[in-house]
Amino acid sequence: MTAVTSRKMKARGGISWAVLGMMFLLPPTLTSAQSADQDITFARDIFPILQENCQNCHRDAGIAPMSLMTYEEVRPWAPLIQYKVVNREMPPWHIDRAIGLQKFKNDLALSDEEVTMISAWANAGAPLGNVADMPSPIEFSDASEWSYGEPDVIIEWNYRVRATGSDEWGELYSQDLFDQMDKPRYIKAIQIRAVDDASRRVVHHAMSYTSQGSANPDNDQFLIDYASGKSAEIYPDNSGVLLNPDNLVRLSYHTHSIGEVVDAKIQMGIVFYPEDVVPEHRRWTKLLGYSGSLLDIPAGEIVRTDGYVYFHDNATITSFQPHMHGMGSYQCLELIYPSSGTSAQTEMISCTNWDYNWHTIYNYADDVAPLVPAGTVAHIISYFDNTDSNPGNMDARNWAGDGRRTIDEMAFAFLGWYAMTDEEYLAEMERRNALNRGLASSND
Ligand code: HEC
Protein backbone atom coordinates (compact mmCIF):
# COMPACT_ATOMS: atom_id res chain seq x y z
CA MET A 1 0.00 0.00 0.00
CA THR A 2 2.83 2.44 0.84
CA ALA A 3 4.38 1.88 -2.56
CA VAL A 4 1.12 2.91 -4.20
CA THR A 5 0.82 6.05 -2.09
CA SER A 6 4.31 7.29 -2.85
CA ARG A 7 3.87 6.64 -6.56
CA LYS A 8 0.72 8.64 -6.47
CA MET A 9 2.40 11.56 -4.78
CA LYS A 10 5.31 11.72 -7.14
CA ALA A 11 3.18 11.48 -10.21
CA ARG A 12 0.41 13.87 -9.27
CA GLY A 13 -0.03 16.69 -11.75
CA GLY A 14 2.58 15.58 -14.31
CA ILE A 15 2.19 13.98 -17.72
CA SER A 16 4.40 11.17 -16.45
CA TRP A 17 1.32 10.03 -14.57
CA ALA A 18 -0.16 8.45 -17.70
CA VAL A 19 3.14 6.90 -18.64
CA LEU A 20 3.58 5.52 -15.13
CA GLY A 21 0.09 4.13 -15.24
CA MET A 22 0.90 2.36 -18.47
CA MET A 23 4.10 0.82 -17.09
CA PHE A 24 2.18 -0.64 -14.21
CA LEU A 25 -0.46 -2.01 -16.51
CA LEU A 26 1.96 -4.07 -18.51
CA PRO A 27 3.47 -6.70 -16.19
CA PRO A 28 1.07 -9.62 -15.82
CA THR A 29 2.51 -10.66 -12.44
CA LEU A 30 1.16 -8.97 -9.34
CA THR A 31 3.32 -7.00 -6.96
CA SER A 32 2.19 -6.74 -3.37
CA ALA A 33 0.94 -3.17 -3.94
CA GLN A 34 -1.21 -4.33 -6.81
CA SER A 35 -2.80 -7.15 -4.91
CA ALA A 36 -3.75 -4.71 -2.16
CA ASP A 37 -5.54 -2.55 -4.72
CA GLN A 38 -7.04 -5.61 -6.38
CA ASP A 39 -9.99 -4.98 -4.07
CA ILE A 40 -11.24 -2.26 -6.40
CA THR A 41 -12.82 -3.85 -9.44
CA PHE A 42 -14.29 -2.56 -12.66
CA ALA A 43 -17.47 -4.58 -12.29
CA ARG A 44 -18.37 -3.48 -8.79
CA ASP A 45 -16.71 -0.07 -8.29
CA ILE A 46 -15.66 1.61 -11.51
CA PHE A 47 -18.45 0.76 -13.93
CA PRO A 48 -21.15 2.53 -11.85
CA ILE A 49 -18.98 5.69 -11.76
CA LEU A 50 -18.63 5.62 -15.55
CA GLN A 51 -22.35 4.99 -16.01
CA GLU A 52 -23.19 7.96 -13.86
CA ASN A 53 -20.53 10.42 -14.99
CA CYS A 54 -19.12 9.52 -18.39
CA GLN A 55 -21.33 7.37 -20.58
CA ASN A 56 -23.81 10.05 -21.54
CA CYS A 57 -21.03 11.52 -23.71
CA HIS A 58 -18.80 8.45 -24.12
CA ARG A 59 -21.08 6.14 -26.14
CA ASP A 60 -21.85 5.53 -29.80
CA ALA A 61 -23.14 8.77 -31.30
CA GLY A 62 -22.23 10.63 -28.09
CA ILE A 63 -20.09 13.77 -28.37
CA ALA A 64 -16.91 12.16 -27.01
CA PRO A 65 -14.27 10.53 -29.24
CA MET A 66 -14.57 7.02 -27.76
CA SER A 67 -17.21 4.82 -26.17
CA LEU A 68 -16.78 3.72 -22.53
CA MET A 69 -19.77 1.37 -22.34
CA THR A 70 -18.06 -1.99 -21.74
CA TYR A 71 -14.96 -3.33 -19.99
CA GLU A 72 -13.39 -4.14 -23.36
CA GLU A 73 -13.86 -0.54 -24.47
CA VAL A 74 -12.61 0.99 -21.22
CA ARG A 75 -9.59 -1.24 -20.52
CA PRO A 76 -7.16 0.25 -23.12
CA TRP A 77 -7.98 3.76 -21.92
CA ALA A 78 -7.38 3.09 -18.21
CA PRO A 79 -4.06 5.03 -18.00
CA LEU A 80 -5.45 8.04 -19.86
CA ILE A 81 -8.67 7.94 -17.84
CA GLN A 82 -6.54 7.99 -14.71
CA TYR A 83 -4.57 10.98 -15.99
CA LYS A 84 -7.68 12.91 -17.04
CA VAL A 85 -9.65 12.35 -13.84
CA VAL A 86 -6.70 12.99 -11.52
CA ASN A 87 -6.02 16.28 -13.31
CA ARG A 88 -9.73 17.11 -13.28
CA GLU A 89 -9.88 17.44 -17.07
CA MET A 90 -12.65 14.83 -17.23
CA PRO A 91 -15.54 15.00 -16.69
CA PRO A 92 -15.34 18.48 -18.26
CA TRP A 93 -15.85 20.72 -15.23
CA HIS A 94 -13.09 23.27 -15.00
CA ILE A 95 -13.96 25.23 -11.89
CA ASP A 96 -10.95 25.87 -9.64
CA ARG A 97 -11.91 23.82 -6.61
CA ALA A 98 -9.71 25.83 -4.25
CA ILE A 99 -11.35 29.23 -4.87
CA GLY A 100 -14.80 30.73 -4.53
CA LEU A 101 -18.28 29.22 -4.69
CA GLN A 102 -18.52 25.47 -5.14
CA LYS A 103 -22.27 24.80 -5.30
CA PHE A 104 -23.71 24.53 -8.79
CA LYS A 105 -26.86 23.14 -10.37
CA ASN A 106 -25.03 21.39 -13.18
CA ASP A 107 -21.86 20.20 -11.40
CA LEU A 108 -20.22 17.37 -13.36
CA ALA A 109 -17.20 16.87 -11.10
CA LEU A 110 -16.30 13.52 -9.54
CA SER A 111 -15.92 13.36 -5.77
CA ASP A 112 -12.40 13.02 -4.33
CA GLU A 113 -13.24 9.42 -3.34
CA GLU A 114 -14.27 8.56 -6.90
CA VAL A 115 -11.03 10.03 -8.28
CA THR A 116 -8.94 8.10 -5.76
CA MET A 117 -10.80 4.91 -6.56
CA ILE A 118 -10.32 5.22 -10.34
CA SER A 119 -6.65 6.01 -9.84
CA ALA A 120 -6.02 3.05 -7.53
CA TRP A 121 -7.90 0.78 -9.93
CA ALA A 122 -5.75 1.89 -12.87
CA ASN A 123 -2.59 1.38 -10.81
CA ALA A 124 -3.72 -2.12 -9.93
CA GLY A 125 -3.84 -3.06 -13.61
CA ALA A 126 -7.50 -2.16 -14.25
CA PRO A 127 -8.93 -5.51 -13.04
CA LEU A 128 -12.38 -6.61 -14.20
CA GLY A 129 -13.41 -8.41 -11.02
CA ASN A 130 -16.56 -10.49 -10.89
CA VAL A 131 -18.93 -9.84 -13.82
CA ALA A 132 -21.84 -10.79 -11.59
CA ASP A 133 -21.22 -7.51 -9.71
CA MET A 134 -21.92 -5.37 -12.81
CA PRO A 135 -25.03 -3.23 -12.56
CA SER A 136 -27.33 -3.55 -15.58
CA PRO A 137 -26.53 -1.22 -18.48
CA ILE A 138 -28.20 2.18 -18.66
CA GLU A 139 -30.45 2.88 -21.65
CA PHE A 140 -29.54 6.33 -22.94
CA SER A 141 -31.85 8.32 -25.13
CA ASP A 142 -30.85 9.00 -28.73
CA ALA A 143 -27.85 11.37 -28.69
CA SER A 144 -29.45 13.59 -31.33
CA GLU A 145 -32.42 14.30 -29.06
CA TRP A 146 -32.82 17.57 -27.21
CA SER A 147 -31.16 17.41 -23.81
CA TYR A 148 -34.02 19.17 -22.00
CA GLY A 149 -37.31 17.62 -23.14
CA GLU A 150 -39.21 18.25 -26.42
CA PRO A 151 -39.19 21.98 -27.22
CA ASP A 152 -42.43 23.98 -27.51
CA VAL A 153 -40.90 26.02 -30.30
CA ILE A 154 -38.20 25.03 -32.78
CA ILE A 155 -36.54 27.68 -34.91
CA GLU A 156 -34.36 26.58 -37.81
CA TRP A 157 -31.74 28.34 -39.94
CA ASN A 158 -30.15 26.92 -43.08
CA TYR A 159 -26.94 28.15 -44.58
CA ARG A 160 -24.83 26.85 -47.47
CA VAL A 161 -21.14 26.87 -46.52
CA ARG A 162 -18.89 26.98 -49.61
CA ALA A 163 -16.26 24.28 -50.15
CA THR A 164 -13.19 26.52 -49.90
CA GLY A 165 -12.30 30.03 -48.84
CA SER A 166 -11.73 31.90 -45.62
CA ASP A 167 -14.02 31.77 -42.60
CA GLU A 168 -17.34 33.59 -42.85
CA TRP A 169 -19.28 35.66 -40.34
CA GLY A 170 -22.81 36.90 -40.82
CA GLU A 171 -26.34 37.29 -39.55
CA LEU A 172 -29.42 35.20 -40.34
CA TYR A 173 -32.92 36.19 -39.25
CA SER A 174 -35.74 33.74 -38.57
CA GLN A 175 -39.35 34.41 -39.56
CA ASP A 176 -41.34 36.03 -36.79
CA LEU A 177 -42.72 33.53 -34.31
CA PHE A 178 -46.48 34.09 -34.78
CA ASP A 179 -47.01 30.70 -36.40
CA GLN A 180 -45.62 28.99 -33.29
CA MET A 181 -46.86 31.21 -30.44
CA ASP A 182 -49.58 33.83 -30.14
CA LYS A 183 -48.66 35.76 -27.01
CA PRO A 184 -45.52 36.59 -25.00
CA ARG A 185 -44.13 33.61 -23.11
CA TYR A 186 -41.34 33.08 -20.60
CA ILE A 187 -38.53 30.74 -21.54
CA LYS A 188 -37.66 28.03 -19.00
CA ALA A 189 -34.92 26.26 -20.96
CA ILE A 190 -33.21 26.80 -24.28
CA GLN A 191 -30.76 24.89 -26.42
CA ILE A 192 -29.13 25.51 -29.78
CA ARG A 193 -27.49 22.80 -31.82
CA ALA A 194 -25.92 22.07 -35.18
CA VAL A 195 -28.20 19.29 -36.36
CA ASP A 196 -25.89 16.77 -38.05
CA ASP A 197 -22.20 15.83 -38.21
CA ALA A 198 -21.50 17.92 -41.32
CA SER A 199 -23.11 20.98 -39.74
CA ARG A 200 -21.08 20.47 -36.57
CA ARG A 201 -17.89 20.44 -38.66
CA VAL A 202 -18.58 23.76 -40.40
CA VAL A 203 -20.32 25.79 -37.72
CA HIS A 204 -17.61 27.17 -35.49
CA HIS A 205 -20.04 29.00 -33.28
CA ALA A 206 -23.37 30.78 -33.40
CA MET A 207 -24.92 33.30 -31.05
CA SER A 208 -28.62 34.02 -30.94
CA TYR A 209 -30.63 37.11 -30.02
CA THR A 210 -34.26 38.17 -30.10
CA SER A 211 -34.55 41.09 -32.47
CA GLN A 212 -36.97 43.60 -33.94
CA GLY A 213 -35.07 43.53 -37.24
CA SER A 214 -31.67 44.86 -38.22
CA ALA A 215 -32.38 48.57 -37.52
CA ASN A 216 -30.78 48.63 -34.11
CA PRO A 217 -28.96 45.40 -33.22
CA ASP A 218 -27.71 46.94 -29.97
CA ASN A 219 -31.22 46.58 -28.54
CA ASP A 220 -31.32 42.88 -29.30
CA GLN A 221 -31.58 40.58 -26.29
CA PHE A 222 -29.00 37.80 -26.13
CA LEU A 223 -30.49 34.30 -25.88
CA ILE A 224 -27.84 31.58 -26.05
CA ASP A 225 -24.63 30.66 -27.84
CA TYR A 226 -23.75 27.50 -29.68
CA ALA A 227 -20.13 26.30 -29.47
CA SER A 228 -18.39 22.98 -28.81
CA GLY A 229 -19.37 21.50 -25.48
CA LYS A 230 -22.35 23.77 -24.86
CA SER A 231 -25.59 22.12 -23.71
CA ALA A 232 -29.04 23.33 -22.73
CA GLU A 233 -29.34 26.37 -20.51
CA ILE A 234 -31.94 25.92 -17.75
CA TYR A 235 -32.99 29.03 -15.87
CA PRO A 236 -33.61 29.10 -12.11
CA ASP A 237 -37.23 28.22 -11.22
CA ASN A 238 -38.18 31.78 -10.33
CA SER A 239 -36.88 33.42 -13.51
CA GLY A 240 -37.32 33.30 -17.27
CA VAL A 241 -36.39 35.17 -20.43
CA LEU A 242 -39.35 36.92 -22.07
CA LEU A 243 -39.99 36.09 -25.72
CA ASN A 244 -42.47 38.04 -27.83
CA PRO A 245 -44.14 36.53 -30.89
CA ASP A 246 -43.43 39.64 -32.95
CA ASN A 247 -39.69 39.07 -32.46
CA LEU A 248 -37.37 37.63 -35.03
CA VAL A 249 -34.52 35.51 -33.79
CA ARG A 250 -31.15 36.64 -35.09
CA LEU A 251 -28.38 34.12 -35.48
CA SER A 252 -24.88 35.53 -35.62
CA TYR A 253 -22.73 32.78 -37.13
CA HIS A 254 -19.10 31.94 -37.81
CA THR A 255 -18.40 29.09 -40.26
CA HIS A 256 -15.32 27.28 -41.66
CA SER A 257 -15.07 25.70 -45.10
CA ILE A 258 -13.97 22.06 -45.09
CA GLY A 259 -13.31 21.21 -48.75
CA GLU A 260 -16.87 20.29 -49.68
CA VAL A 261 -20.11 22.26 -49.87
CA VAL A 262 -22.16 21.75 -46.72
CA ASP A 263 -25.77 22.75 -46.19
CA ALA A 264 -25.50 23.62 -42.51
CA LYS A 265 -28.60 23.33 -40.40
CA ILE A 266 -28.91 24.93 -36.98
CA GLN A 267 -31.89 24.58 -34.69
CA MET A 268 -32.92 26.30 -31.52
CA GLY A 269 -35.34 24.54 -29.17
CA ILE A 270 -37.24 26.49 -26.54
CA VAL A 271 -39.21 25.10 -23.61
CA PHE A 272 -41.65 27.61 -22.07
CA TYR A 273 -43.10 27.95 -18.62
CA PRO A 274 -46.80 26.98 -18.68
CA GLU A 275 -48.93 29.71 -20.33
CA ASP A 276 -50.36 31.09 -17.11
CA VAL A 277 -47.03 31.24 -15.24
CA VAL A 278 -45.22 34.55 -14.95
CA PRO A 279 -41.94 33.85 -13.17
CA GLU A 280 -40.99 36.19 -10.37
CA HIS A 281 -38.00 37.64 -12.25
CA ARG A 282 -37.24 38.46 -15.84
CA ARG A 283 -33.82 37.07 -16.56
CA TRP A 284 -31.01 38.39 -18.76
CA THR A 285 -27.85 36.98 -20.21
CA LYS A 286 -25.20 39.26 -21.66
CA LEU A 287 -21.69 39.21 -22.98
CA LEU A 288 -19.91 41.42 -20.43
CA GLY A 289 -16.56 42.68 -19.19
CA TYR A 290 -14.96 42.66 -22.63
CA SER A 291 -11.25 43.38 -22.38
CA GLY A 292 -10.23 41.86 -25.71
CA SER A 293 -9.41 45.22 -27.26
CA LEU A 294 -6.59 45.61 -24.70
CA LEU A 295 -5.00 42.33 -25.64
CA ASP A 296 -1.32 42.36 -26.41
CA ILE A 297 0.12 38.87 -26.05
CA PRO A 298 3.78 38.70 -27.10
CA ALA A 299 5.25 35.35 -28.19
CA GLY A 300 6.31 33.18 -25.27
CA GLU A 301 4.61 35.27 -22.59
CA ILE A 302 1.76 34.96 -20.12
CA VAL A 303 -0.43 38.05 -19.82
CA ARG A 304 -3.55 39.12 -17.96
CA THR A 305 -6.38 41.46 -18.98
CA ASP A 306 -9.15 42.95 -16.90
CA GLY A 307 -12.69 43.82 -17.94
CA TYR A 308 -15.34 45.53 -15.83
CA VAL A 309 -19.10 45.93 -15.80
CA TYR A 310 -21.18 48.12 -13.52
CA PHE A 311 -24.46 46.90 -11.98
CA HIS A 312 -26.98 49.77 -11.85
CA ASP A 313 -29.55 47.62 -10.01
CA ASN A 314 -29.47 45.10 -7.21
CA ALA A 315 -29.19 41.67 -8.80
CA THR A 316 -28.74 37.95 -8.36
CA ILE A 317 -26.06 36.54 -10.64
CA THR A 318 -27.31 33.12 -11.70
CA SER A 319 -24.58 31.95 -14.06
CA PHE A 320 -21.02 32.53 -15.24
CA GLN A 321 -19.66 31.34 -18.57
CA PRO A 322 -16.05 32.29 -19.36
CA HIS A 323 -14.95 32.99 -22.91
CA MET A 324 -11.48 33.11 -24.45
CA HIS A 325 -9.80 31.42 -27.41
CA GLY A 326 -6.93 28.92 -27.69
CA MET A 327 -4.34 30.84 -25.65
CA GLY A 328 -6.74 31.43 -22.78
CA SER A 329 -5.68 29.52 -19.69
CA TYR A 330 -7.67 30.83 -16.71
CA GLN A 331 -10.55 33.22 -16.06
CA CYS A 332 -12.09 34.55 -12.85
CA LEU A 333 -15.18 36.49 -11.82
CA GLU A 334 -14.55 38.88 -8.94
CA LEU A 335 -17.03 41.31 -7.40
CA ILE A 336 -16.00 44.79 -6.26
CA TYR A 337 -18.68 45.96 -3.84
CA PRO A 338 -19.70 49.62 -3.53
CA SER A 339 -18.09 51.30 -0.59
CA SER A 340 -18.36 54.64 1.10
CA GLY A 341 -14.77 54.50 2.33
CA THR A 342 -11.54 54.66 0.38
CA SER A 343 -10.97 50.94 -0.03
CA ALA A 344 -13.47 48.78 -1.89
CA GLN A 345 -14.27 45.34 -0.62
CA THR A 346 -13.76 42.57 -3.16
CA GLU A 347 -14.80 38.95 -3.29
CA MET A 348 -13.54 36.25 -5.65
CA ILE A 349 -16.63 34.36 -6.85
CA SER A 350 -15.27 31.76 -9.27
CA CYS A 351 -12.13 30.87 -11.18
CA THR A 352 -11.99 28.38 -14.01
CA ASN A 353 -9.25 26.65 -15.95
CA TRP A 354 -9.91 27.38 -19.58
CA ASP A 355 -10.12 24.75 -22.32
CA TYR A 356 -11.40 26.01 -25.67
CA ASN A 357 -13.13 22.64 -26.28
CA TRP A 358 -15.52 23.41 -23.46
CA HIS A 359 -17.91 26.34 -23.42
CA THR A 360 -19.32 25.43 -20.06
CA ILE A 361 -21.97 27.45 -18.28
CA TYR A 362 -21.65 27.36 -14.49
CA ASN A 363 -25.17 27.69 -13.06
CA TYR A 364 -24.96 28.67 -9.37
CA ALA A 365 -27.15 26.83 -6.88
CA ASP A 366 -30.01 29.11 -5.76
CA ASP A 367 -28.80 29.39 -2.18
CA VAL A 368 -25.33 30.66 -3.10
CA ALA A 369 -25.94 32.58 -6.37
CA PRO A 370 -24.11 35.89 -5.75
CA LEU A 371 -26.33 38.73 -4.50
CA VAL A 372 -24.99 42.08 -5.65
CA PRO A 373 -26.11 45.47 -4.36
CA ALA A 374 -26.56 48.25 -6.94
CA GLY A 375 -23.22 49.88 -7.65
CA THR A 376 -21.24 46.64 -7.63
CA VAL A 377 -18.65 46.15 -10.35
CA ALA A 378 -18.12 42.69 -11.79
CA HIS A 379 -14.47 42.21 -12.66
CA ILE A 380 -13.53 39.63 -15.30
CA ILE A 381 -9.87 38.60 -15.01
CA SER A 382 -8.45 36.65 -17.96
CA TYR A 383 -5.06 34.98 -18.33
CA PHE A 384 -3.48 34.04 -21.67
CA ASP A 385 -0.58 31.65 -21.96
CA ASN A 386 1.37 32.15 -25.19
CA THR A 387 4.03 29.56 -24.34
CA ASP A 388 4.58 26.00 -25.54
CA SER A 389 3.30 24.60 -22.28
CA ASN A 390 -0.27 25.62 -23.16
CA PRO A 391 -1.74 22.69 -25.12
CA GLY A 392 -4.37 25.02 -26.68
CA ASN A 393 -1.67 27.22 -28.20
CA MET A 394 -1.07 26.49 -31.88
CA ASP A 395 2.22 28.35 -32.23
CA ALA A 396 3.99 30.10 -29.36
CA ARG A 397 6.24 32.01 -31.80
CA ASN A 398 3.43 34.37 -32.80
CA TRP A 399 2.13 37.54 -31.26
CA ALA A 400 -1.64 37.44 -30.68
CA GLY A 401 -4.26 40.10 -30.10
CA ASP A 402 -7.95 40.81 -30.24
CA GLY A 403 -9.98 39.50 -33.18
CA ARG A 404 -12.76 37.30 -34.43
CA ARG A 405 -10.74 34.49 -36.02
CA THR A 406 -10.15 31.40 -33.89
CA ILE A 407 -6.41 32.18 -33.94
CA ASP A 408 -7.10 35.65 -32.56
CA GLU A 409 -7.97 36.05 -28.92
CA MET A 410 -10.95 37.31 -26.96
CA ALA A 411 -11.72 37.96 -23.31
CA PHE A 412 -15.15 38.37 -21.77
CA ALA A 413 -17.75 36.40 -19.83
CA PHE A 414 -21.43 35.68 -20.31
CA LEU A 415 -23.21 36.55 -17.08
CA GLY A 416 -26.80 35.54 -16.35
CA TRP A 417 -28.72 37.63 -13.83
CA TYR A 418 -32.01 39.13 -12.77
CA ALA A 419 -32.58 42.53 -11.18
CA MET A 420 -34.16 42.94 -7.73
CA THR A 421 -35.96 45.76 -5.97
CA ASP A 422 -34.54 46.87 -2.62
CA GLU A 423 -37.32 44.93 -0.83
CA GLU A 424 -36.59 41.74 -2.78
CA TYR A 425 -32.89 42.15 -2.19
CA LEU A 426 -33.27 42.63 1.57
CA ALA A 427 -35.74 39.74 1.84
CA GLU A 428 -33.30 37.43 0.07
CA MET A 429 -30.44 38.62 2.33
CA GLU A 430 -32.62 37.80 5.34
CA ARG A 431 -33.45 34.38 3.95
CA ARG A 432 -29.77 33.60 3.31
CA ASN A 433 -28.78 34.77 6.79
CA ALA A 434 -31.45 32.57 8.33
CA LEU A 435 -30.23 29.71 6.18
CA ASN A 436 -26.66 30.22 7.40
CA ARG A 437 -27.90 30.13 10.98
CA GLY A 438 -29.76 26.91 10.17
CA LEU A 439 -33.18 28.56 10.61
CA ALA A 440 -34.57 28.20 7.09
CA SER A 441 -34.77 25.42 4.56
CA SER A 442 -32.82 25.41 1.31
CA ASN A 443 -34.27 26.25 -2.10
CA ASP A 444 -31.94 23.84 -3.84
C1 HEC B 1 -20.07 16.27 -21.30
C2 HEC B 1 -19.52 15.17 -22.06
C3 HEC B 1 -18.42 14.33 -21.43
C4 HEC B 1 -18.40 13.76 -20.18
C5 HEC B 1 -19.50 13.82 -19.11
C6 HEC B 1 -17.16 13.04 -20.09
N1 HEC B 1 -16.43 13.20 -21.23
FE1 HEC B 1 -14.54 12.50 -21.58
N2 HEC B 1 -14.48 13.53 -23.33
C7 HEC B 1 -15.51 14.22 -23.90
C8 HEC B 1 -15.05 14.85 -25.13
C9 HEC B 1 -15.90 15.69 -26.07
C10 HEC B 1 -13.68 14.54 -25.27
C11 HEC B 1 -12.74 15.02 -26.37
C12 HEC B 1 -12.37 16.48 -26.15
C13 HEC B 1 -11.56 16.70 -24.92
O1 HEC B 1 -10.62 15.94 -24.68
O2 HEC B 1 -11.85 17.66 -24.18
C14 HEC B 1 -13.36 13.71 -24.12
C15 HEC B 1 -12.10 13.18 -23.87
C16 HEC B 1 -11.82 12.22 -22.91
C17 HEC B 1 -10.56 11.55 -22.77
C18 HEC B 1 -9.34 11.75 -23.65
C19 HEC B 1 -9.48 11.06 -24.95
C20 HEC B 1 -8.32 11.39 -25.87
O3 HEC B 1 -8.17 10.69 -26.88
O4 HEC B 1 -7.59 12.34 -25.59
C21 HEC B 1 -10.70 10.67 -21.72
C22 HEC B 1 -9.65 9.69 -21.20
C23 HEC B 1 -12.03 10.83 -21.19
N3 HEC B 1 -12.68 11.79 -21.93
C24 HEC B 1 -12.54 10.16 -20.11
C25 HEC B 1 -13.73 10.51 -19.47
C26 HEC B 1 -14.18 9.91 -18.22
C27 HEC B 1 -13.45 8.81 -17.47
C28 HEC B 1 -15.35 10.53 -17.90
C29 HEC B 1 -16.20 10.32 -16.67
C30 HEC B 1 -15.51 10.23 -15.39
C31 HEC B 1 -15.64 11.47 -18.95
N4 HEC B 1 -14.63 11.44 -19.87
C32 HEC B 1 -16.77 12.30 -18.98
C33 HEC B 1 -16.80 14.33 -23.37
C34 HEC B 1 -17.17 13.97 -22.08
Side-chain angles (χ1 to χ4, degrees):
M1 209 52 206
T2 24
V4 172
T5 316
S6 64
R7 260 198 341 252
K8 216 182 265 171
M9 280 172 12
K10 254 186 273 156
R12 180 154 290 159
I15 185 84
S16 56
W17 199 210
V19 178
L20 267 177
M22 257 177 262
M23 280 162 46
F24 283 98
L25 272 181
L26 297 176
T29 50
L30 292 178
T31 65
S32 59
Q34 282 169 326
S35 52
D37 272 350
Q38 196 76 341
D39 289 334
I40 299 176
T41 71
F42 180 80
R44 195 191 51 228
D45 309 299
I46 304 302
F47 189 61
I49 301 177
L50 304 187
Q51 282 188 313
E52 175 91 354
N53 300 284
C54 321
Q55 291 183 350
N56 193 29
C57 299
H58 287 273
R59 60 186 160 115
D60 283 349
I63 65 167
M66 74 289 196
S67 169
L68 298 176
M69 296 296 284
T70 63
Y71 180 67
E72 288 66 37
E73 286 175 345
V74 173
R75 177 80 175 63
W77 293 99
L80 193 55
I81 288 174
Q82 178 187 47
Y83 175 78
K84 292 276 178 182
V85 303
V86 167
N87 285 293
R88 299 262 174 208
E89 290 172 27
M90 280 288 147
W93 184 257
H94 302 111
I95 279 285
D96 187 328
R97 297 160 66 82
I99 296 175
L101 301 177
Q102 299 294 333
K103 259 179 91 185
F104 298 89
K105 291 184 168 170
N106 57 332
D107 196 341
L108 296 177
L110 296 180
S111 68
D112 290 342
E113 295 72 52
E114 287 168 330
V115 171
T116 308
M117 208 187 276
I118 290 176
S119 186
W121 168 75
N123 282 344
L128 169 60
N130 183 356
V131 241
D133 293 340
M134 300 264 285
S136 44
I138 294 185
E139 297 281 334
F140 288 97
S141 57
D142 184 342
S144 64
E145 275 175 21
W146 298 96
S147 60
Y148 185 78
E150 259 320 288
D152 296 308
V153 163
I154 295 178
I155 299 160
E156 185 173 304
W157 297 269
N158 294 287
Y159 183 69
R160 174 158 292 186
V161 180
R162 58 196 178 174
T164 57
S166 54
D167 287 12
E168 292 182 274
W169 289 264
E171 314 289 334
L172 295 172
Y173 286 85
S174 72
Q175 299 298 312
D176 63 41
L177 302 171
F178 278 118
D179 55 341
Q180 297 199 68
M181 54 192 286
D182 53 10
K183 58 179 200 178
R185 295 283 297 271
Y186 282 91
I187 300 175
K188 169 72 193 141
I190 184 167
Q191 183 177 6
I192 187 165
R193 59 178 196 177
V195 172
D196 44 42
D197 276 347
S199 302
R200 278 189 284 276
R201 287 174 65 205
V202 297
V203 181
H204 167 277
H205 78 242
M207 313 244 249
S208 64
Y209 304 79
T210 64
S211 166
Q212 301 287 342
S214 55
N216 189 357
D218 284 349
N219 288 343
D220 292 357
Q221 142 96 52
F222 180 75
L223 286 174
I224 188 173
D225 61 310
Y226 165 79
S228 52
K230 179 76 194 251
S231 61
E233 208 161 308
I234 303 161
Y235 304 137
D237 278 341
N238 59 353
S239 73
V241 168
L242 186 63
L243 187 65
N244 282 304
D246 63 348
N247 279 159
L248 308 173
V249 183
R250 171 163 69 92
L251 188 77
S252 176
Y253 63 84
H254 171 185
T255 57
H256 294 306
S257 291
I258 57 166
E260 59 193 85
V261 173
V262 174
D263 286 317
K265 197 182 203 189
I266 296 170
Q267 283 183 342
M268 172 188 284
I270 293 175
V271 178
F272 290 125
Y273 279 96
E275 258 183 64
D276 49 345
V277 173
V278 175
E280 214 177 314
H281 302 289
R282 181 170 176 189
R283 186 186 183 281
W284 304 90
T285 307
K286 279 199 167 126
L287 182 169
L288 295 172
Y290 195 85
S291 59
S293 52
L294 303 172
L295 275 175
D296 173 8
I297 316 175
E301 292 193 18
I302 295 174
V303 304
R304 156 179 169 167
T305 56
D306 299 87
Y308 302 89
V309 56
Y310 183 83
F311 276 82
H312 294 269
D313 299 310
N314 307 317
T316 297
I317 297 179
T318 64
S319 64
F320 168 48
Q321 181 185 331
H323 186 88
M324 294 180 276
H325 285 183
M327 286 180 196
S329 57
Y330 197 68
Q331 192 180 78
C332 299
L333 164 64
E334 183 188 59
L335 295 177
I336 305 170
Y337 295 111
S339 135
S340 49
T342 45
S343 64
Q345 206 190 337
T346 62
E347 185 178 5
M348 196 56 94
I349 300 299
S350 292
C351 287
T352 60
N353 295 304
W354 176 250
D355 174 345
Y356 186 74
N357 282 322
W358 294 102
H359 295 263
T360 304
I361 177 162
Y362 299 96
N363 292 303
Y364 295 110
D366 291 341
D367 286 340
V368 302
L371 280 180
V372 302
T376 298
V377 172
H379 177 194
I380 307 297
I381 305 162
S382 306
Y383 290 88
F384 295 86
D385 180 347
N386 194 0
T387 70
D388 283 329
S389 57
N390 177 358
N393 191 355
M394 295 180 215
D395 188 347
R397 293 168 306 179
N398 291 333
W399 177 88
D402 181 42
R404 297 195 302 179
R405 297 172 306 169
T406 313
I407 57 166
D408 298 322
E409 284 300 329
M410 281 196 183
F412 63 82
F414 292 103
L415 296 185
W417 82 95
Y418 54 80
M420 302 166 99
T421 63
D422 287 347
E423 292 71 43
E424 287 169 342
Y425 181 79
L426 290 173
E428 180 61 12
M429 287 279 268
E430 270 302 300
R431 200 186 67 80
R432 300 256 183 119
N433 286 338
L435 201 62
N436 287 340
R437 295 196 305 269
L439 298 175
S441 62
S442 163
N443 274 354
D444 294 330

